[in-house]
Amino acid sequence: MVTTLRFVSLLSVLAVIGWLLLAESARQVARAEDDVLTITPVTARVPQGGTALLAIRAPGATAVRVRQGETVFPADARGDDRWEGVVGVWMETKPGPLALTVEADIEGRMLTAPVAVTVTKRDFPIQRLRMSRSQASKYEAPSVQEEYRLIGAALRHFTHGRAWLGGFKRPAAGRVSTRYGTQRYRNGEKVGIHKGIDIAAPKGAPIYAANAGSVTLRRDFGLHGRTLVIDHGGGIAGLYLHLNDFGVSEGQVVKKGQLIARVGSTGAATGPHLHYALYAHGTAIDPLLMETMPAGW
Ligand SMILES: [Zn+2]
């Protein structure tokens, strides 16, 4: 009886050891498989001015980045080992394959994986603009550099856990008078590329937040006029210029479609309109291409 008991207990000890060994090997197999960094380009072909969306699975990663040449920006941590990358494709990007790499820090190692995204060509319009000497002189004011610095910093600000969900609604009713990517000549001189869209609307017309986010900049500038920047999270920010008045304060959380300002012509503007622009990690993207989003985004 005693012997039998001892035998049974020995068997159970062996069984427990065997189970532990099996469990350990199963865990290691699972870990080896989990090491694979998987990236799904949600948008494998992106037009110039578009945005590449990357769905990334990186089990155990503490940080995930997207590298585009010398530029590196963070991917958005979405929980459950899921990360998202948004890559703004500037309108002058050469058509063809875009050199993108995803880097993930997993258990002290850096895993990298290339991403296949192809940029397709688009045509952009040319616009010739007459502007009065006093309006044009606003571009030369010494305060302009400071405006660009403050706006640029707000547009490049990154926060994890995007607030934006679904398409970016056009923030004001009216005709698009200048499109994204328009090459602009002011008084006969090439002055650059239009980085957003202009919506012609009467002074005082309501402006609504294109998507959810929080107000990171609210300033009254000489060139840009009354200005709002909304951080939508995950690397996307929205810029609203030439506002007549503000409907929100800095730091305020806004919902998609919430009234944020009214149309004006403050700063250097030839008439009342809204300049509305979207940026991905500081790169201007075409807001009209952001109006519809793939399912789940
Ligand atoms: Zn504009």
Side-chain angles (χ1 to χ4, degrees), residues 221-244:
F221 290 129
L223 176 68
H224 296 89
R226 295 206 173 99
T227 299
L228 280 179
V229 173
I230 296 181
D231 178 10
H232 297 292
I236 306 277
L239 176 67
Y240 303 78
L241 301 181
H242 309 302
L243 310 172
N244 193 62

Side-chain angles (χ1 to χ4, degrees), residues 168-173 197 199 206-210 240 260 274 276 291:
F168 286 72
K169 286 175 69 171
R170 208 170 300 184
I197 61 168
I199 301 171
I207 299 169
Y208 305 102
Y240 303 78
I260 53 167
L274 170 66
Y276 159 59
E291 290 187 351

Side-chain angles (χ1 to χ4, degrees), residues 178 184 194-199 241-242 273-276:
T178 310
R184 265 190 165 166
H194 197 240
K195 293 179 177 165
I197 61 168
D198 286 345
I199 301 171
L241 301 181
H242 309 302
H273 73 282
L274 170 66
H275 174 99
Y276 159 59

